[in-house]
Amino acid sequence: MRTVKSRLFQEKLAKMFMQLSGVIITGSLFFIVGTILYKGLPYLSWDMISKVPQGGFYIGKEGGILNAILGSLYLASASTLLATLIGIPIALYLNIYVKKGSSLARSAKLLFDVLFGIPSIVYGAIAFSIMVFLGIRASLLGGIITITLLTIPIVVRTLDELISTIPQDLKHVTASLGATRWETARVMIKYIKPGLFTAVLLAFGRAIGDVAGVLLTTGFSDNLPKYIDEPTATLPLAIFFQLSSPIPEVQGRAYASALVLTIIILIIVLCSHILASKQKKHKI
């Protein structure tokens, strides 16, 4: 009897802690979004998102963050494309050409797990060393190198998890029909296509929101990004520099910039959920 009561008490206690955790996480989310809306919405305007910073922008005068928006999109798009082109062959090689359970497969997956968890500032330091060796100054190219290194583990590990969900029967059927490993890989890519797009969107979201890595390698400019070897502004860096200002109006613009970045991330998350639901229906 005591054992049953003890188990029921543990069940209620665990349920209470889970509900409390859910409330704390949800409340934190609403607090963050609410703060950004409350402080940033009054400063958000069409001029702000359609104009570049003009003289004295960071002391409260006219201008906008168009250069940072375009810089973030260029940086995230290019680095995500490169990370995808590099990550897909790696994931396919580890799951098709390398024997499952071998020391190479285990070591590679452990390595990418470690790379996945390394802070972005470390990637920034590594990319900075590469730039110094190659004679590249702080520029859009330097940021692309940094964010590509940062997002490759995301793409590889996400695709590895997706490939592990493919039924073994599908692999056996393709092999029994005399398909080569490359032909099997093409079948697997078609099977996980919705999930592949989700992995790309996740990498894009991480790329567009990173600040520590690009702080050392991208530089900053009030001009629109025209060439790959020029310094480029990004939204996270614009938020960082504006919040550093003692002028309340400039700080308000920082929250407005954060609101723009949050909207972009929200769109990415919604697209990821839509593609994930398509992946589940595809499995069924």
Side-chain angles (χ1 to χ4, degrees), residues 148-188:
T148 299
L149 294 174
L150 177 67
T151 50
I152 285 176
I154 298 174
V155 174
V156 173
R157 290 302 291 129
T158 305
L159 290 179
D160 183 68
E161 293 297 327
L162 287 171
I163 293 174
S164 65
T165 63
I166 298 177
Q168 291 294 326
D169 292 342
L170 180 62
K171 301 177 183 178
H172 295 158
V173 168
T174 54
S176 64
L177 293 175
T180 62
R181 292 184 177 182
W182 171 239
E183 290 171 336
T184 302
R186 292 173 61 183
V187 173
M188 293 170 68

Side-chain angles (χ1 to χ4, degrees), residues 1 26 29 55 83 90 100 132 137 148 162 164 174 211 214 221 234-235 239 254 261 266 270 276:
M1 189 68 178
T26 305
L29 175 62
I90 294 175
K100 188 175 180 180
V132 171
R137 63 173 181 170
T148 299
L162 287 171
S164 65
T174 54
V211 61
V214 298
S221 173
T234 63
L235 277 172
I239 296 169
L261 182 59
L266 178 61
L270 290 176

Side-chain angles (χ1 to χ4, degrees), residues 93-104:
Y93 178 78
L94 292 176
N95 286 274
I96 296 178
Y97 290 89
V98 176
K99 185 178 180 181
K100 188 175 180 180
S102 64
S103 58
L104 176 59

Side-chain angles (χ1 to χ4, degrees), residues 162 194-198 201 269-283:
L162 287 171
L196 173 61
F197 289 129
T198 301
L201 288 174
V269 171
L270 290 176
C271 292
S272 299
H273 279 288
I274 293 172
L275 292 172
S277 63
K278 288 185 178 181
Q279 176 72 8
K280 291 180 181 178
K281 291 179 181 179
H282 183 67
K283 289 180 182 178

Side-chain angles (χ1 to χ4, degrees), residues 7-19:
R7 292 173 62 185
L8 290 175
F9 175 75
Q10 292 176 0
E11 176 70 20
K12 291 180 180 179
L13 188 63
K15 183 179 179 181
M16 183 184 69
F17 276 116
M18 285 188 287
Q19 291 175 341

